[in-house]
């Protein structure tokens, strides 16, 4: 890794691996150009990091970290180097530390504006990014694993029966826009990171995902634990000129709960099958029941 990085930014020092993330390695280093972040993913990953890098490079106004270089290192790991952005990513600190009190007050608004800027990216600027139907994709993944989950089957049926009319909007969708995948400074949102699930789709997918209970991290309010849905939609409308329908947002929020539940099953299966030996993946599997509980409450209108 170090040889790959040094060939692109010169000598590096103070190399430190960062915590977080179950699918890749993240490192922070000092270089002649300043602090940088290096992300690496295994050769078995479904797609090359060049796809993600193209979206990050097109998202400077979102804002997103400036891309320095991408490529494949000598070990076959796909790698992306970006400039580091100062701030905090750990949700519990953002939600509880006094120094982020000002940021929390405006975070729902910041996220709404950032989402609108993600969706304003011209798809022609990111030709590697493909269209994905998330529900169809996770339906297929759950069927492949073959474990029975009646609560998820009920949610799939409800979503099929209550799908809102199409918005007619196809946008660049971040795919994992939530607390934990943003950098927050004391003044507010500093950057949107972790674009590995970027695709083309319905922009409401990102907004609903922000409101999934798991991404509130114990906070009392639906948007990142700190904001109301109307604040999110108002900010999105101010930035984009279009205010999504609240009922459509609710549909995508429930779709997000289901999606996270299926992802928990998938991550646990990677450990259980022996593909990867990981206590972290096993622990994620224990969260399947949380999502089933959240779905029952949501389908009853009690969340």
């Amino acid at each position: 890794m170090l040889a790959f990085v040094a060939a692109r930014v010169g000598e590096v020092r103070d190399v430190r691996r960062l915590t977080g993330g179950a699918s890749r390695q993240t490192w922070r280093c000092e270089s002649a150009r300043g602090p940088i972040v290096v992300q690496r993913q295994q050769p078995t990953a479904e797609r090359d990091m060049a796809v993600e890098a193209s979206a990050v490079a097109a998202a400077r106004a979102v804002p997103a970290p400036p891309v320095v270089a991408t490529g494949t290192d000598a070990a076959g790991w796909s790698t992306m180097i970006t400039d580091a952005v100062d701030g905090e990513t750990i949700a519990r600190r953002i939600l509880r530390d006094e120094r982020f009190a000002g940021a929390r007050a405006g975070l729902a608004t910041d996220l709404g504006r950032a989402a609108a800027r993600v969706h304003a990216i011209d798809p022609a600027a990111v030709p590697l990014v493909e269209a994905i139907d998330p529900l169809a994709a996770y339906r297929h993944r759950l069927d492949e694993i073959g474990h029975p989950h009646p609560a998820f089957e009920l949610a799939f049926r409800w979503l099929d029966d209550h799908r809102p009319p199409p918005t007619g909007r196809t946008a660049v969708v971040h795919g994992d826009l939530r607390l934990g995948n943003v950098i927050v400074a004391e003044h507010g949102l500093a950057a949107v990171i972790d674009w590995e699930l970027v695709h083309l789709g319905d922009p409401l997918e990102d907004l609903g995902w922000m409101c999934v209970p798991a991404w509130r991290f114990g906070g009392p309010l639906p948007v990142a634990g700190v904001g109301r849905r109307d604040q999110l939609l108002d900010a999105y409308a101010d930035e984009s000129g279009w205010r999504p329908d609240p009922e459509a947002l609710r549909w995508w929020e429930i779709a997000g709960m289901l999606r996270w539940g299926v992802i928990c099953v998938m991550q646990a299966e990677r450990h259980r099958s022996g593909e990867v030996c990981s206590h972290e993946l096993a622990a994620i599997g224990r969260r399947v029941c949380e999502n089933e509980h959240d779905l029952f409450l949501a389908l009853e209108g009690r969340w």
Side-chain angles (χ1 to χ4, degrees), residues 89-91 94 176 178-183 193-194 217:
T89 60
I90 297 176
I94 296 168
D176 201 8
R178 59 174 177 84
L179 200 61
N181 286 340
V182 294
I183 298 174
I193 58 175
D194 289 349
F217 295 95

Side-chain angles (χ1 to χ4, degrees), residues 111-121 123 132-134 163-177 199-211 232-233 236-237 240 242-245 248-253 259:
L111 289 170
R113 289 174 177 157
R117 291 174 183 173
V118 172
H119 304 154
I121 295 171
I132 295 176
D133 179 340
R163 184 181 283 269
T167 62
R169 299 169 184 266
T170 298
V172 173
V173 174
H174 179 278
D176 201 8
L177 185 52
H199 60 277
L200 301 182
D202 190 315
L204 274 172
E205 181 186 342
D206 276 339
L207 298 181
W209 188 242
M210 285 186 213
C211 300
L232 178 70
L233 294 177
Y236 188 90
S240 70
W242 170 60
R243 193 178 198 278
D245 175 47
L249 174 65
R250 177 175 182 262
W251 188 92
W252 278 104
E253 189 172 334
R259 174 188 163 201

